[in-house]
Amino acid sequence: MSRSPKQAPAAMPPNPELDAMLAQALGKGDAVAGGADAAEAEDTAAPVASGPQRCGFVAIVGKPNVGKSTLLNALVGQKVSITSSKAQTTRHRITGLRTLGATQFIFVDTPGFQTKHGNALNRSLNKTVVGAVSDVDLVLFVVEAGKFNLADAKVLSLMPADVPVMLVANKFDLVHRRGELAPWLRAMQERHPFAEFVPMSAKNSKDIQRLFGICEQYLPEQAWMHDPDDLTDRSERFMASEMVREKLFRLTGDELPYTSTVIIDKFEEEGRLRRIAATIVVERDGHKGMVIGDKGEKLKRIGTEARQELEKLWDCKVFLELWVKVRSGWADDDARVRSFGYE
Ligand code: GDP
Ligand code: MG
């Protein structure tokens, strides 16, 4: 399945150091992701409370569908309600915070890198990706283990040379012959001087613990920038539009162009209740039909799934009202793109 844009590199010179590193990465991945939930605690290196405070930025990048959101949610932890008590003090797009032991991890999420069209919206999104990775302490470049195609290559080409980039070979649980990953990892090292190789599964909690331990070493010793209990500095309003957007694209599959967006028209708090009205803006009448579905069934599902996730996230009741509007050509109009909240 791995259709690489270039041919596999011809006869690489032997590199015992690299081989040892890969063998170690694979061995660890095998022990952690491969085992059932047997006690393998000694293999996990979660941050410990001793030592000076560390704090730094970690960007999560990769083409759509490789597991970035799953990873971010697992890293931030979903059980506690999201708070937005702190004003955003940096130019980063911060969506997740986690403080473990002496270390505060500030995760910088990026919109999926868009390769299909060169319009104003995509240029804006791509600029955001480049901006997000240029000034962080570590980049997690997420791919599906054993796979690498043109879309992955395009994202990789945006990685800055002066920031350590970790290869997260996600969905390792789907790889049946793990030994076959070694040549793939070697080929990946030819593509970019990755600082680390981490075969893992974002759905495996031990892998997540191990990832924290690896990331920690790349964060500078400095005072925490946020309250250790905070999980995000994004507003609930923003989270609501992201959640609808996620369900929209998940449930319409590849049919719906990425230029569709979500606007929050109303966001009201009444005690343990949130009343939200949102509009899904699509480019054509045909797209409107796709979103609404047969007898409104698709739109209803988008609404239900988004509502349920928001209720879980905030631990409160949510009323969510969704509308669909056609706004032809807006993706090619810089001014309109800006007015919808993209920088
Ligand atoms: P994103 O577009 O990169 O944010 O990807 P998502 O986090 O939305 O994940 C895309 C799909 O991959 C979802 O169906 C996830 O449940 C699934 N997924 C994510 N991580 C893993 C993993 O480690 N193993 C498996 N089997 N599936 C995963
Ligand atoms: Mg995502």
Side-chain angles (χ1 to χ4, degrees):
M1 271 290 284
S2 59
R3 278 169 286 123
S4 41
K6 291 177 197 152
Q7 309 93 306
M12 279 182 285
N15 183 342
E17 211 175 298
L18 173 62
D19 284 343
M21 184 157 92
L22 297 182
Q24 197 198 14
L26 275 174
K28 274 195 187 161
D30 221 17
V32 178
D37 265 3
E40 284 153 344
E42 72 281 1
D43 204 33
T44 61
V48 286
S50 59
Q53 283 194 351
R54 285 174 187 265
C55 180
F57 294 90
V58 181
I60 301 174
V61 303
K63 72 174 181 194
N65 226 34
V66 291
K68 297 182 299 297
S69 298
T70 308
L71 182 61
L72 179 70
N73 286 338
L75 289 167
V76 173
Q78 279 176 300
K79 289 197 181 102
V80 199
S81 294
I82 277 205
T83 59
S84 53
S85 55
K86 292 263 158 98
Q88 184 150 334
T89 50
T90 74
R91 61 202 171 289
H92 295 296
R93 307 192 131 229
I94 302 165
T95 53
L97 300 170
R98 187 74 179 266
T99 307
L100 287 176
T103 304
Q104 182 161 78
F105 300 85
I106 305 176
F107 296 104
V108 182
D109 197 12
T110 53
F113 179 63
Q114 298 307 309
T115 52
K116 276 189 190 144
H117 310 286
N119 65 28
L121 175 63
N122 288 345
R123 281 195 299 274
S124 161
L125 289 175
N126 292 346
K127 222 164 63 190
T128 308
V129 174
V130 175
V133 296
S134 63
D135 200 18
V136 296
D137 300 295
L138 175 66
V139 175
L140 306 188
F141 175 64
V142 186
V143 295
E144 291 185 30
K147 296 183 185 178
F148 190 85
N149 70 12
L150 191 58
D152 296 301
K154 289 212 167 153
V155 181
L156 186 57
S157 72
L158 294 175
M159 296 305 112
D162 53 350
V163 175
V165 180
M166 180 190 299
L167 180 75
V168 173
N170 192 33
K171 308 195 188 183
F172 192 46
D173 53 299
L174 299 179
V175 176
H176 296 301
R177 296 202 192 115
R178 302 215 159 135
E180 288 175 11
L181 210 59
W184 176 83
L185 283 171
R186 269 180 74 97
M188 291 304 292
Q189 177 70 347
E190 289 290 301
R191 296 183 191 282
H192 190 91
F194 291 107
E196 303 271 354
F197 298 89
V198 184
M200 62 169 289
S201 167
K203 297 188 168 182
N204 181 306
S205 61
K206 283 185 187 142
D207 284 1
I208 294 295
Q209 286 309 306
R210 185 167 57 99
L211 189 61
F212 274 123
I214 301 169
C215 292
E216 181 182 38
Q217 304 159 32
Y218 290 88
L219 305 192
E221 284 182 13
Q222 60 177 330
W224 297 341
M225 297 176 195
H226 297 270
D227 189 303
D229 293 329
D230 284 356
L231 292 182
T232 185
D233 68 351
R234 300 316 296 256
S235 67
E236 290 191 350
R237 209 184 162 93
F238 175 81
M239 293 303 291
S241 82
E242 283 293 288
M243 205 62 92
V244 173
R245 222 168 74 90
E246 185 195 281
K247 299 306 166 197
L248 172 68
F249 290 113
R250 173 97 9 111
L251 292 171
T252 53
D254 289 334
E255 302 158 275
L256 190 70
Y258 227 81
T259 45
S260 312
T261 193
V262 176
I263 300 169
I264 302 297
D265 305 309
K266 182 179 87 175
F267 193 105
E268 291 170 2
E269 273 185 64
E270 297 169 18
R272 316 260 340 122
L273 171 72
R274 303 282 181 279
R275 280 182 201 281
I276 306 168
T279 303
I280 296 170
V281 184
V282 297
E283 272 188 285
R284 295 185 217 297
D285 277 326
H287 300 158
K288 190 172 172 181
M290 265 178 225
V291 174
I292 293 174
D294 190 25
K295 299 197 185 85
E297 185 258 336
K298 183 69 64 68
L299 185 62
K300 207 169 152 189
R301 247 188 93 189
I302 293 169
T304 304
E305 291 196 11
R307 177 181 56 75
Q308 287 169 344
E309 286 225 34
L310 289 171
E311 288 183 335
K312 203 166 77 184
L313 191 65
W314 298 330
D315 191 24
C316 72
K317 190 136 190 64
V318 172
F319 287 158
L320 175 62
E321 193 179 9
L322 287 184
W323 300 85
V324 186
K325 261 187 208 154
V326 181
R327 179 76 61 97
S328 173
W330 73 266
D332 275 309
D333 176 343
D334 273 320
R336 281 231 175 90
V337 168
R338 269 198 299 278
S339 78
F340 285 167
Y342 295 96
E343 284 128 33

